[in-house]
Amino acid sequence: ITIPSIIGALRLAKKFVLVGDHMQLPPVVISEEASGLKETLFEKLFDKEDEQTTNNIMLDIQYRMHPAICEFISKEFYDGKLKSAPEVENRKLELSVSESQLAPIITPDKPLVLVHLSTDAAHQPERQSKREIDLIVEILRELRSKNFPPDKIGIIAPFRAQVAALRRAFEKLYETLEFEDIRKIVDTVDRFQGDEKDIIIFSLTITSEEIPMIFQEKRRLNVAISRTKSKFIGIGDWNRAEKSPTLSHLKDYAISDERCSFIDWDEEKV
C-alpha cells in the first residue's frame, strides 16, 4: 500500500503496527513521475535505524517451503535469517516416478530442479516460448497419468501471452476443469502473490538477449520461487537468465546443492 493511502488513517493513532514483507511485491505504480511511491511505509520504517521510535521484528520461521527451497530464499532475500519449522523438514511429494522418462524433473527427491532449454528468439512469438510450453505439457500429462491433483499445481509465467498459451494447453489436458479453475492454476507472478501450491512450475520465457524488465525487480522472483511447498521446477533458457543476478544465483545454487538439480534438457534429448 502506498504511503498516501495509509497516512490519513495513521495520523489518528498514537501507536500503530504494520505487518508485511517488504521483500515481496511493491505497490503497482505506473507513472514514472510517481515512482517514489513504490517504497512503502513498511519498507521505509523497517530500514530505519532509530530504535527509539521504531521497533522492527522479523517473523523468521516459515511453514510452507521445503528447507532446500527456503535456504535459497533466505540467503538471497533475507540475509540468511529465514529458517524452516520442524514440520517442513521432511516435506516431500507423494509421487511414484520410477518408470517415467521425466523422472529427473518430477522426482520427489529433488525439491528444486532447473531445466535448461535453449531459445531461438528468431522463431518465437513475442513474449512466448513454445519449447517451454511443450515441456510443461509433457510434465502435466505425466502428473495427470499418476492422478496428481491439478489444483496442487501452480504454473507461473512473467508475460500474459505465455500465460494465455499455457492456459489453452492446460484446458486441453484437463477438459473437466472450468476456466475459472484454470485461471487459479496458471497465472502471472503478480497474481500468484499470497498463494501456494505443492508444485510450482516457473516458465522463464526469456527469448531475447536482454533480461526482461519484469525480472529486474528481484522481489518478483522471490514471490515466484516462494509460492511452492514441496517442489519448484524452473524451465527456460538458463544461459540467458544468468544476466539476472538472482536467477544466476539460483542456477549456481541448483548446481552446487546436492538436494537440488540442474538439467540440460537439450543434452538429455540428444
Side-chain angles (χ1 to χ4, degrees):
I1 186 170
T2 62
I3 291 177
S5 300
I6 196 173
I7 206 71
L10 294 186
R11 67 185 177 84
L12 303 175
K14 294 180 180 179
K15 177 186 283 191
F16 59 89
V17 178
L18 297 177
V19 180
D21 183 351
H22 62 297
M23 291 308 298
Q24 300 226 0
L25 290 177
V28 176
V29 179
I30 298 174
S31 170
E32 286 295 324
E33 295 180 1
S35 60
L37 294 177
K38 291 182 179 179
E39 184 181 30
T40 63
L41 183 62
F42 184 98
E43 185 176 0
K44 189 180 288 288
L45 293 178
F46 194 88
D47 293 334
K48 192 174 180 180
E49 296 182 358
D50 183 1
E51 296 183 3
Q52 301 215 340
T53 59
T54 305
N55 188 16
N56 299 336
I57 300 172
M58 178 178 176
L59 304 179
D60 59 359
I61 306 295
Q62 68 87 22
Y63 296 83
R64 175 190 296 152
M65 298 171 278
H66 186 284
I69 301 167
C70 173
E71 189 173 312
F72 174 78
I73 294 290
S74 179
K75 290 178 179 177
E76 185 70 15
F77 302 104
Y78 300 102
D79 299 321
K81 297 176 181 177
L82 186 64
K83 298 181 283 291
S84 295
E87 293 93 315
V88 299
E89 286 295 329
N90 298 311
R91 175 158 282 168
K92 191 175 181 179
L93 285 178
E94 295 182 6
L95 190 66
S96 174
V97 299
S98 57
E99 298 179 0
S100 171
Q101 292 184 338
L102 296 172
I105 297 177
I106 63 175
T107 173
D109 295 328
K110 300 289 184 180
L112 192 154
V113 176
L114 305 184
V115 185
H116 171 69
L117 287 174
S118 59
T119 301
D120 183 358
H123 297 89
Q124 297 288 341
E126 187 177 5
R127 296 186 171 183
Q128 285 188 40
S129 172
K130 188 176 184 305
R131 290 199 71 198
E132 293 176 30
I133 294 170
D134 290 345
L135 179 54
I136 291 171
V137 168
E138 284 186 51
I139 294 170
L140 293 174
R141 188 175 286 117
E142 189 69 21
L143 292 173
R144 187 186 63 173
S145 73
K146 298 182 180 302
N147 297 316
F148 193 85
D151 61 351
K152 291 187 176 182
I153 305 168
I155 304 172
I156 300 176
F159 304 117
R160 291 180 181 177
Q162 185 77 346
V163 167
L166 284 165
R167 282 176 176 169
R168 288 193 293 269
F170 201 95
E171 194 172 19
K172 290 179 181 178
L173 276 175
Y174 296 92
E175 296 178 351
T176 59
L177 285 181
E178 297 291 335
F179 184 70
E180 283 302 313
D181 295 325
I182 295 174
R183 288 183 61 181
K184 296 174 184 177
I185 295 170
V186 187
D187 219 327
T188 61
V189 182
D190 299 56
R191 295 286 184 88
F192 253 95
Q193 180 159 264
D195 205 348
E196 61 182 35
K197 298 288 184 179
D198 287 59
I199 299 175
I200 287 290
I201 303 174
F202 184 34
S203 175
L204 288 177
T205 328
I206 301 175
T207 57
S208 68
E209 294 300 327
E210 297 299 319
I211 287 293
M213 184 70 69
I214 201 167
F215 284 151
Q216 294 178 25
E217 170 55 81
K218 65 181 293 184
R219 290 177 288 188
R220 184 169 274 107
L221 295 172
N222 182 17
V223 172
I225 301 165
S226 64
R227 298 307 91 201
T228 186
K229 296 167 68 176
S230 300
K231 190 169 185 70
F232 176 84
I233 303 172
I235 298 174
D237 193 323
W238 285 97
N239 291 337
R240 296 185 185 215
E242 287 183 348
K243 292 184 179 180
S244 159
T246 296
L247 292 176
S248 179
H249 296 163
L250 181 60
K251 179 180 177 180
D252 291 342
Y253 180 76
I255 292 171
S256 62
D257 194 298
E258 62 182 9
R259 298 168 296 178
C260 308
S261 180
F262 180 84
I263 303 169
D264 189 330
W265 202 246
D266 294 338
E267 292 185 0
E268 290 280 335
K269 299 299 284 186
V270 171

